[in-house]
Amino acid sequence: MPPEPGLKIETNSKKVRAIRKTVLELLLASHDRECTLCERSGNCSLQTYSEQYGLREIRYPKNAECLPKDETNPSLVRDPNKCILCGACVRACSEWQGSVLGFANRGSKTVVQPMAGKNLADVDCIYCGQCQAVCPVGAITIKSDIENVWSELSNPDKKVVVQIAPAVRVALGEMFGLEKGQNAIGLIYSSLRKLGFDMVFDTNFAADLPI
């Protein structure tokens, strides 16, 4: 039905909610549901909507093939078993950086992957992280080196140095409830020193050189 003046559209009717709930069930049926071990647990759109629509059981059997996780990239981890095929990462990569990610195959075999089915380490990924920033689930995450950092900090024979980017001084402050735009470099410096870092460097002029 084409739109016309006076047309009334219901976006939250009983029927619409039932359809949305079914779609969520189908997504979860082919999804890796180890939520407690996922980095996005508590900050996942699929979790949020499942809670919002009162989803407590999945009526459909899990029939998706378990695909290997790609951990070859030094900055990003790609887990296709958690991908919901929303295409946000594909669009972000295409519009902002390049065309590293894309859809492959058809039907139930559809996946998001780097071009030609390669690993992320084997394509022209510049590690910008925009794909991870827009991913609503845990399909693309930042590779964590936290355990390695703690190991180095506890080594008395090591001098551990940290260097932070200019954007961090504001972004971290906002994450911890400071006023938007407030420079939190002093707090960041003090916190890093308390954690055990021997020296803290703030990248300023050098960050402008590549621009």
Side-chain angles (χ1 to χ4, degrees):
M1 177 184 296
E4 57 185 38
L7 185 65
K8 183 179 179 181
I9 300 175
E10 295 186 6
T11 59
N12 200 36
S13 65
K14 183 178 180 180
K15 183 177 180 180
V16 170
R17 288 181 62 84
I19 293 173
R20 288 175 180 163
K21 190 171 182 178
T22 299
V23 171
L24 281 170
E25 282 191 78
L26 291 170
L27 284 173
L28 287 167
S30 58
H31 190 73
D32 181 354
R33 299 195 292 275
E34 292 290 341
C35 296
T36 55
L37 302 178
C38 181
E39 283 196 36
R40 289 297 297 269
S41 182
N43 185 30
C44 169
S45 295
L46 205 53
Q47 275 186 337
T48 300
Y49 287 126
S50 296
E51 181 66 27
Q52 181 179 335
Y53 286 91
L55 203 56
R56 294 291 179 266
E57 61 179 352
I58 310 299
R59 294 174 293 172
Y60 309 105
K62 185 173 183 178
N63 54 12
E65 177 186 359
C66 185
L67 300 173
K69 187 185 294 186
D70 181 3
E71 300 182 272
T72 60
N73 189 290
S75 302
L76 301 167
V77 176
R78 189 177 64 86
D79 188 348
N81 302 296
K82 296 179 181 178
C83 180
I84 58 173
L85 302 176
C86 67
C89 60
V90 176
R91 181 173 180 178
C93 189
S94 175
E95 292 184 356
W96 298 338
Q97 298 300 340
S99 296
V100 170
L101 296 172
F103 287 100
N105 306 327
R106 302 179 66 180
S108 62
K109 300 293 185 181
T110 302
V111 293
V112 170
Q113 63 182 25
M115 60 180 67
K118 297 180 180 179
N119 290 322
L120 269 178
D122 301 323
V123 293
D124 294 330
C125 175
I126 62 171
Y127 320 139
C128 69
Q130 296 296 340
C131 55
Q132 183 274 334
V134 299
C135 180
V137 290
I140 302 178
T141 54
I142 299 295
K143 183 172 287 187
S144 175
D145 286 314
I146 292 177
E147 290 303 320
N148 293 333
V149 172
W150 281 121
S151 177
E152 297 301 328
L153 287 174
S154 62
N155 186 346
D157 298 323
K158 282 280 185 77
K159 287 282 186 182
V160 187
V161 178
V162 61
Q163 184 168 342
I164 56 178
V168 173
R169 68 187 71 172
V170 173
L172 274 179
E174 292 180 5
M175 284 184 64
F176 286 98
L178 297 183
E179 186 177 342
K180 286 188 176 181
Q182 182 175 340
N183 190 338
I185 189 62
L187 293 172
I188 295 172
Y189 177 85
S190 300
S191 299
L192 290 170
R193 291 286 286 142
K194 286 182 178 180
L195 285 172
F197 288 96
D198 297 290
M199 289 182 282
V200 181
F201 291 96
D202 180 21
T203 305
N204 285 300
F205 174 69
D208 294 328
L209 292 180
I211 298 178

